[in-house]
Structures are given as C-alpha cells and as structure tokens.
C-alpha cells in the first residue's frame, strides 16, 4: 500500500479541500481522461481508473475520514470502524453515518451521470424506425418530384405524456430501483447505470394508461409531403427525419425510410447514371448517313448517323442521362442503332438491291473462310 499514489495528488487538490472543490476537480479530470474521449489510449484509461477510485473515496465523508487516518481505504477497515462505533454506543458517537453517500446523497454515480448524460430517469431512447415502399415512374425518378404520402405510425399518447402510466391513480415506488429509475450494471472495470427494467426508468409503477393501454403511444394516419430528388434509382433508401414511431417518456421519435422502386420504361433503361435506348434506322440512313431525331428524357434530341453505320453500333448523347445524387456531372444517353432491312415487295426493288450487290461485291463473311 505504501507505493500507492496519493488520492489528493491524483485529483490535484489540497488535503483541506472542500467537497465542492473535489467535485469540480473530478469533473474536469474525468472529462479529459474518459475512454470515450480517448479511444485506444491505455494510459488515459489507467488515469481514468485512478481518478474514479480517488473520487469514490474522497467524495464520501466516511471513506475520506478513514483514508485521512490510515493513508489508504478498504472496506475491512470501514467495517472494523463501524463495529467499534456500535460497541461504543453506535456509529454516531464515532462521527460516522453509514446511511448516506456524501455530497447530498448523490455520490459518485450522480456526478458520473451529470458528466456523461446519464440521468436518474430513463435515458432518451429514439422511437422505432419505419420503412415504406414507394413505387414511382421512370420519368419521376429522373426529374424528381414532390410526393404526398399517407403513413401509419405511432405518436406519443397525449393522455399520459408518453409514459404509459395512468395519471388518475397514484403510482407506487418501483421495488426494483427504489424510485431512482436506474439500476447498476457492470461493464468491464466500472459500473454504469441504465434504465430500470421493471419501471422503464420512471421510478414508479402502477396502473396503465387507459388511452394507450400502457404503451405510451397511439396509432395515427398521417399525410406528409416528401421531395424525391432527381436521379434516384430502385433500391434507393431515403430518410424522412422524425416520422417514425414515437419514443417513450418524451424521447425523440424514430425516422421513416422510403425504399424507392422504379417502374420499367417502355423505351429507356438505366445503367448506372447512363440511360440506354435502341433506335431503328433504315438501310439507306445506315449506308449514306443521316441526322435523325431520337427521344430523350428532356424531349427530342438530334443524333448524327455517319455513313456506313452498322446495326448494333452505339452513339453517345453527352449529359442526356440521369442526374447524379452526389452533385457530379449527369450521365449520358447511349443510343444503340438497329438497321431495319427493307422488304423487297416488287421486282423494281429487287432489281435495285441486285444492282447494289454488283456495285459493292465485298463479302462480309470473308474472314470466316479459314474456320
């Protein structure tokens, strides 16, 4: 025990320090060295352990008195001191009162709660998130639009304020947490408080709210207007904040997630941010070249077909694709041409085609002869 670091030195306070001074020093050091603030820092974790141990003793008047007398603290010494006190007429005659924890009865756990947001009532817990499918057209997915949706969700019960308790009848102190709303749980090297599993953090138990049956929420149908951004695709998950189910005891609601499903288009199809389509052209247009009109998501667009174009050849209309959700440049429209061979319905047409073959005798299958 002789090599153990002095608790007053750890907290950086003099031995005659008052309770408020010790509390202030602890809060400052605990914030600075907490593991959540220093992830992966083993030295900070060790310092935090020492700070906790020092404060746990110096914040308790009885423990501090033992520490000041012996230079260290242990539960065995405290029990012996208590036994001597009872033998001499009770603990009060020795100046010890084991009914409290010092600092107004709150002690270490309350200060820790103040520091890191863990109150004596139920910690805020978000309500349940909801998901809803939204089926939209191909054009709506490209251009974006405002959608009016009817959603089924649960909102906080106004009769009980979301507590689930019957306010018209008296509530009893929870026997599990003795009204604190918290119960201690061990997590590694320290104990932390969480909401009581019997009362849900209320600290009291009793009759259930007649309006909501004790759930703290009630079902509602709500109409909301949501802006669908341009460029969404099937499978896109869109968050609508605060439109999930209500939280309990005033906790914030969850979120609504819209899962986008895009109906197929009869002409266009999407590949990434590119929009792909197939356009038929005549044999003459393919052979001689032409300028043709093709559909696009923005209306008609002109496409130049160079002479000698083959069926299946692809052309690009730059910037005519889907918008980027990340704000980048939009995709392109990819036009694949399909050459339509005319049906020679009369002898004159057949004669023209035979003349064309005589004037252009190249064999398109010449490269296959060696196979």
């Amino acid at each position: 025990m002789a090599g153990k670091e002095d608790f007053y030195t750890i907290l950086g306070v003099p031995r005659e320090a008052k309770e408020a001074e010790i509390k202030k020093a602890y809060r400052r050091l605990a914030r600075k060295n907490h593991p959540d603030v220093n992830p992966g820092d083993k030295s900070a974790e060790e310092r935090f352990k020492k700070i906790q141990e020092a404060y746990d003793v110096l914040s308790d008047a009885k423990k501090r008195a033992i520490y000041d007398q012996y230079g260290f603290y242990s539960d065995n010494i405290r029990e012996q001191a208590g036994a001597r006190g009872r033998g001499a007429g009770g603990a009060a005659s020795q100046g010890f009162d084991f009914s409290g924890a010092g600092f107004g009865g709150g002690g270490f756990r309350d200060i820790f709660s103040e520091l890191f947001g863990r109150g004596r009532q139920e910690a805020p817990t978000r309500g349940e998130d909801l998901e809803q499918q939204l089926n939209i057209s191909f054009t709506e997915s490209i251009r974006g639009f405002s959608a009016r949706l009817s959603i089924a969700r649960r909102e906080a019960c106004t009769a009980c304020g979301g507590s689930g308790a019957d306010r018209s009848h008296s509530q009893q102190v929870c026997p599990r947490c003795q009204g604190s709303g918290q119960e201690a749980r061990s997590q590694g090297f320290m104990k932390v408080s969480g909401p009581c599993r019997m009362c849900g953090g209320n600290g009291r138990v009793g009759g259930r709210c007649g309006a909501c049956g004790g759930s703290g929420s009630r079902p509602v149908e709500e109409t909301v207007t949501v802006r669908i951004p341009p460029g969404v695709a099937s499978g896109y998950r869109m968050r609508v904040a605060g439109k999930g189910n209500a939280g309990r005891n005033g906790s914030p609601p969850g979120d609504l997630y819209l899962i986008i499903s895009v109906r197929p288009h009869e002409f266009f199809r999407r590949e990434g941010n590119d929009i792909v389509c197939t356009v038929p052209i005549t044999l003459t247009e393919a052979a001689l070249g032409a300028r043709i009109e093709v559909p696009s998501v923005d209306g008609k667009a002109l496409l130049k077909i160079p002479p000698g174009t083959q069926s299946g050849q692809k052309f690009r209309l730059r910037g005519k694709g889907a918008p980027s959700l990340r704000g980048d440049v939009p995709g392109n429209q990819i036009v694949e041409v399909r050459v339509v061979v005319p049906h020679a319905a009369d002898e004159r047409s057949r004669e023209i085609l035979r003349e064309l073959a005589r004037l252009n005798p190249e064999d398109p299958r010449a490269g296959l002869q060696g196979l």
Side-chain angles (χ1 to χ4, degrees):
M1 303 297 293
K4 197 172 183 66
E5 192 172 353
D6 181 70
F7 286 164
Y8 291 98
T9 302
I10 291 173
L11 296 181
V13 295
R15 287 189 167 272
E16 63 274 10
K18 302 295 184 183
E19 294 176 356
E21 188 177 355
I22 292 174
K23 178 179 178 180
K24 181 178 179 181
Y26 167 73
R27 296 181 65 174
R28 175 177 55 82
L29 292 171
R31 283 196 186 97
K32 180 179 179 182
N33 295 279
H34 193 274
D36 290 348
V37 182
N38 303 275
D41 188 340
K42 294 298 184 182
S43 60
E45 183 177 320
E46 289 301 319
R47 289 194 300 271
F48 185 71
K49 290 180 183 179
K50 292 180 179 179
I51 292 164
Q52 283 185 301
E53 183 183 9
Y55 182 73
D56 190 36
V57 171
L58 299 186
S59 65
D60 186 313
K62 281 66 64 183
K63 293 181 180 180
R64 184 178 179 183
I66 293 173
Y67 181 81
D68 288 343
Q69 181 177 355
Y70 295 99
F72 64 93
Y73 172 82
S74 77
D75 289 334
N76 289 335
I77 293 180
R78 179 168 178 165
E79 290 172 2
Q80 293 170 11
R84 288 194 299 269
R86 288 189 295 271
S93 65
Q94 297 292 323
F96 293 113
D97 175 14
F98 292 102
S99 62
F103 284 166
F108 170 77
R109 186 174 68 184
D110 283 354
I111 302 302
F112 189 78
S113 299
E114 290 177 22
L115 282 173
F116 303 106
R118 299 180 178 93
R120 294 178 66 84
Q121 296 299 314
E122 181 179 7
T125 303
R126 291 176 66 254
E128 180 186 15
D129 291 335
L130 299 177
E131 285 190 355
Q132 183 167 316
Q133 296 287 330
L134 179 60
N135 189 273
I136 65 177
S137 70
F138 185 88
T139 302
E140 289 171 334
S141 74
I142 300 300
R143 296 178 178 174
F145 71 108
S146 292
R148 285 178 60 83
L149 308 174
S150 178
I151 57 174
R153 55 184 295 266
R154 299 188 71 87
E155 69 174 12
C157 176
T158 55
C160 64
S163 68
D166 185 355
R167 292 179 171 179
S168 65
H169 293 79
S170 61
Q171 301 288 300
Q172 304 298 318
V173 173
C174 174
R176 186 183 189 96
C177 65
Q178 301 300 314
S180 70
Q182 300 284 305
E183 57 178 323
R185 298 181 180 88
S186 296
Q187 291 188 0
F189 64 86
M190 63 180 179
K191 287 186 177 181
V192 296
S193 294
C196 174
R197 286 167 287 185
M198 176 173 287
C199 64
N202 292 321
R204 308 186 75 81
V205 293
R208 295 182 177 182
C209 172
C212 64
S215 67
S217 61
R218 61 185 184 87
V220 294
E221 287 282 341
E222 184 176 351
T223 300
V224 297
T225 300
V226 179
R227 177 63 187 171
I228 307 299
V232 297
S234 287
Y236 179 76
R237 195 166 185 256
M238 180 177 171
R239 174 176 171 263
V240 184
K243 293 302 179 181
N245 285 336
R248 194 175 176 92
N249 289 325
S251 301
D255 298 327
L256 169 66
Y257 287 91
L258 297 177
I259 311 301
I260 304 297
S261 176
V262 181
R263 297 189 296 274
H265 194 274
E266 67 273 14
F267 181 71
F268 298 113
R269 66 183 186 276
R270 183 167 172 175
E271 296 180 359
N273 282 343
D274 290 338
I275 295 176
V276 182
C277 63
T278 300
V279 175
I281 62 174
T282 67
L283 181 64
T284 304
E285 289 170 335
L288 302 180
R291 292 178 68 86
I292 64 172
E293 277 191 346
V294 297
S296 77
V297 292
D298 298 322
K300 297 294 185 180
L302 282 176
L303 177 65
K304 181 179 180 181
I305 304 297
T309 293
Q310 304 298 310
S311 190
Q313 196 166 336
K314 296 179 179 180
F315 301 92
R316 179 175 61 184
L317 293 173
R318 191 179 298 276
K320 294 290 186 180
S324 171
L325 289 171
R326 297 178 298 182
D328 301 334
V329 295
N332 304 310
Q333 181 172 337
I334 307 300
V335 180
E336 180 180 347
V337 297
R338 177 173 55 86
V339 178
V340 178
V341 178
H343 177 65
D346 55 77
E347 184 59 31
R348 176 59 180 160
S349 296
R350 289 191 287 271
E351 181 59 34
I352 291 174
L353 290 174
R354 284 192 287 267
E355 181 66 17
L356 178 63
R358 285 194 295 269
L359 294 175
N360 298 271
E362 67 269 13
D363 182 3
R365 295 177 297 281
L368 303 179
Q369 292 179 0
L371 298 178

